[in-house]
Amino acid sequence: MTREPLPFDHRPDPALGAALRQALEPAEGSHTAFVARLLARVADPRGTGSWDRVLARWARVGVAAAVVFSVAAGYLVGRATAAPARPSVAEALIAPRTPVVEVVLASVLGN
Amino acid sequence: MKPESQPPQPAARIPGQDEAALVARVRAGDRTAFGVLAERYAGVARRVARAVLGDPDDADDAAQDALLSALVKLDQYDPRRPFGPWLLRIVANAATDRRRRRKVRRVEPLDPALVAGGARPDATTEQRALSERLRTALAELSHRRRMAVVLFDVEGYSHAEIAGILGIPEGTVRSEVFHARRRLRVLLADWKELE
């Protein structure tokens, strides 16, 4: 680490590396505890749990999302393709329409 | 100038001859195999997380989360490629996410005696002071620069591998390592072992 580095020096600096490693090294004796805690989390069904449980949890979320999506899509498609609604009585009376043949005949015969 | 793509066999580098077999065993549900992988990579995962986060407890939490996340995502790992960079990408992301989420914590001010390169009564104290000084120096770098120099000089990964881990171009990694080293040298210039 005594030399000035070249702009694109590809060689690791052993002195700097060792000093940095020492600075970042966790407390002595904590390695075993760290691994033990990790493995306990893997095995613990209440915590993050085993990977099959984690996957199962995500699978449940996925299924729930798919159900919600299906229902929403079904509703929208149903709305779009539904038959036009029957007119109400008021609409039927007010709406102008061509008289049917029976009405025309009846009015002619009546006169 | 064509740069060398691989650094010369760094001491910190973890050998990975049997990793594909280990990963296959983990995928098959062998928790002992996961224990072996965790044992092997816990050190580097903790150091890289600490380089990002500074705080050792935060770093351990991030490293744990990353290792568990790697376990869940193991199906996405391509066994033809080295396991270390794949895992460290997850570690780097976990640490970076945690860094974003956590409230801003002020770094404890460095002892003025250390800043001034004060008295060093014995080797242990001196080593501790140097480590403290290095951590402070690291904290002044951008977190990408920090990770680049740690992955290269401490963990022995190549520029290309670090580019994959950090998701940046290889040339940027070279530049980050260079600037990190230069900055660390400036900050540590008065330290007698590093002069």
Side-chain angles (χ1 to χ4, degrees), chain B residues 15-186:
Chain B
Q17 304 91 335
D18 60 341
E19 274 171 1
L22 266 177
V23 170
R25 283 171 53 198
V26 177
R27 276 178 172 167
D30 183 345
R31 293 186 185 181
T32 310
F34 177 67
V36 174
L37 270 181
E39 183 81 34
R40 191 174 287 184
Y41 281 96
V44 56
R46 296 172 80 191
R47 285 192 294 273
V48 169
R50 191 171 184 187
V52 177
L53 290 160
D55 180 74
D57 294 329
D58 265 1
D60 274 5
D61 288 344
Q64 292 247 341
D65 290 349
L67 285 161
L68 286 172
S69 175
L71 179 60
V72 172
K73 294 177 182 168
L74 210 53
D75 283 340
Q76 298 170 20
Y77 165 64
D78 178 357
R80 292 167 301 180
R81 304 175 74 88
F83 182 74
W86 181 80
L87 174 66
L88 288 179
R89 180 163 196 158
I90 296 174
V91 173
N93 287 340
T96 305
D97 286 349
R98 183 171 285 264
R99 188 167 171 271
R100 278 197 207 106
R101 284 200 312 267
R102 79 177 179 190
K103 289 177 181 172
V104 176
R105 287 185 199 164
R106 293 302 307 153
V107 177
E108 288 181 18
L110 195 61
D111 184 345
L114 296 179
V115 177
R120 302 165 193 150
D122 57 51
T124 308
T125 309
E126 193 170 326
Q127 181 57 55
R128 200 173 297 146
L130 171 60
S131 291
E132 182 63 44
R133 193 178 175 83
L134 267 172
R135 283 193 291 270
T136 305
L138 273 177
E140 291 183 18
L141 303 175
S142 72
H143 89 278
R144 192 168 79 175
R145 196 162 282 182
R146 230 178 293 167
M147 278 196 281
V149 73
V150 168
L151 287 168
F152 189 72
D153 280 323
V154 180
E155 307 301 341
Y157 286 97
S158 68
H159 291 120
E161 286 171 323
I162 297 168
I165 292 168
L166 300 182
I168 56 177
E170 195 176 328
T172 308
V173 174
R174 290 176 191 280
S175 168
E176 295 287 31
V177 171
F178 168 71
H179 287 294
R181 285 172 162 185
R182 191 168 65 173
R183 182 69 183 143
L184 289 173
R185 283 187 172 93
V186 169

Side-chain angles (χ1 to χ4, degrees), chain A residues 15-109:
Chain A
L16 177 62
L20 282 172
R21 188 186 180 94
Q22 183 77 31
L24 297 172
E25 202 66 67
E28 201 174 333
S30 66
H31 182 78
T32 308
F34 175 88
V35 174
R37 190 157 65 95
L38 175 67
L39 296 180
R41 281 181 71 185
V42 170
D44 182 5
R46 294 165 303 164
T48 305
S50 58
W51 58 87
D52 49 346
R53 285 177 185 276
V54 173
L55 288 175
R57 195 164 62 213
W58 279 107
R60 282 196 291 274
V61 172
V63 168
V67 167
V68 169
F69 178 78
S70 303
V71 169
Y75 172 74
L76 292 173
V77 170
R79 253 186 88 176
T81 58
R86 298 180 69 181
S88 64
V89 175
E91 285 171 339
L93 291 173
I94 294 170
R97 66 169 96 163
T98 311
V100 291
V101 176
E102 290 84 358
V103 174
V104 174
L105 283 174
S107 71
V108 170
L109 290 174

